[in-house]
Amino acid sequence: LAAACQLLAVLAFSTFLLLCVPPRKKKKDDEIPLVTGSYALEGKWIANTNGKITPPRSGATAISTDDNGIILFSGYAEENESRRVLQDLWQFEENKDGWSRCEKTFSSEPGARLCSAGAFCENEFVLFGGWDPEKEGTGGIILDDIWSLNLATFEWTQLEQKMPRGPCSRHIACALPGKKSIVVHSFRCLESILLYEDKTMREQPTKGPAPSSRGLHSAAMVGDELVVFGGADKSGNMCADVYALHTKSWTWRKVISQVEDGPTPRAGSCAAALSDDRTFIMSCGAQRESDGSLKPRADLWALDLSSATWTKLLDDHHDAEGTFSVAPRPRNAAVLLPLSSLSTTSSIPSPIVDRFLLHGGWHPFQITFDDTFILEIRR
């Protein structure tokens, strides 16, 4: 039975082989108060040259910490005609040397994997499942383990408990406000969601119109809501709808369907939230073209949850005026994480600048990236 479940999990999201793993090259819910009013948003990419992660990778798992740092684990590397799954650990400290590799020898640690999910909770990096392709041609194994990295001692601990409902990959994890619990959403979460708290994981029933079964979606916490965008179903069909789960009433609501003046259907995008408790941002991902090929993107979108309105902040490679600027090349399977926000006194009222870090990713069948960018969004 376990083997059958694992096989079904692999088949259910076989589209990932095209989206995130480079092959060998051939030459109405409970009423929720909404913030009213409006303001303009301006986005800007800045190349970061402070340290570099090697080798280049896609499908990594990363978190932001309370001290404005970032921890990144694992991923899928392709370099010099070779490919492999990683289990290395990297830290980003903006005011020091940027990226640096953790050279510590651990007494125990999670194995190599990609497409796992993780979040910051009570000063720990908690890691859920993932996929280890193992030997080429085997299909690998979908993982059900749960690990926590204590950021004070920098020691990994494996929980005795496995992920409820079995192995999982291509899922998402987000810390709830207060960072004392984590929600995990996967293709199985139609009537419940997984909730991690007090070092235990359980199923939390939900109500309301939930997202369809999907993987390779992106998500972020916006206030008390878990906002989920896009992804692909088991047959590879992609979507661009948005759902929000209110994590006090555990009620889903559909925020917006795919719209002509919004982002294209895609999988493997990355997402975050502004500090205003109302705006969800999304970038990158890969969309499927009419001929079946995959087209990576690097456009940047903002969704105002109070009005259910998308705004394109930046196009692929270009700023809002269509002028070429420093920007990430189109990609999917990158990571996007919040950094500290900035306030300035250059005007009244002072603008607030939310900042994020984007790293890595993959342009299908062409290149795996090792670059890092800082995204600034001024409001």
Side-chain angles (χ1 to χ4, degrees), residues 47-53 91-100 372:
N48 177 80
T49 58
N50 195 7
K52 180 167 288 191
I53 290 181
Q91 292 179 273
F92 180 85
E93 297 177 282
E94 187 175 15
N95 297 325
K96 295 184 180 179
D97 298 324
W99 288 111
S100 62
T372 298

Side-chain angles (χ1 to χ4, degrees), residues 126-145:
V126 188
L127 182 73
F128 305 95
W131 176 41
D132 180 0
E134 296 185 322
K135 293 182 179 179
E136 187 174 355
T138 66
I141 182 172
I142 306 297
L143 304 167
D144 62 358
D145 53 354

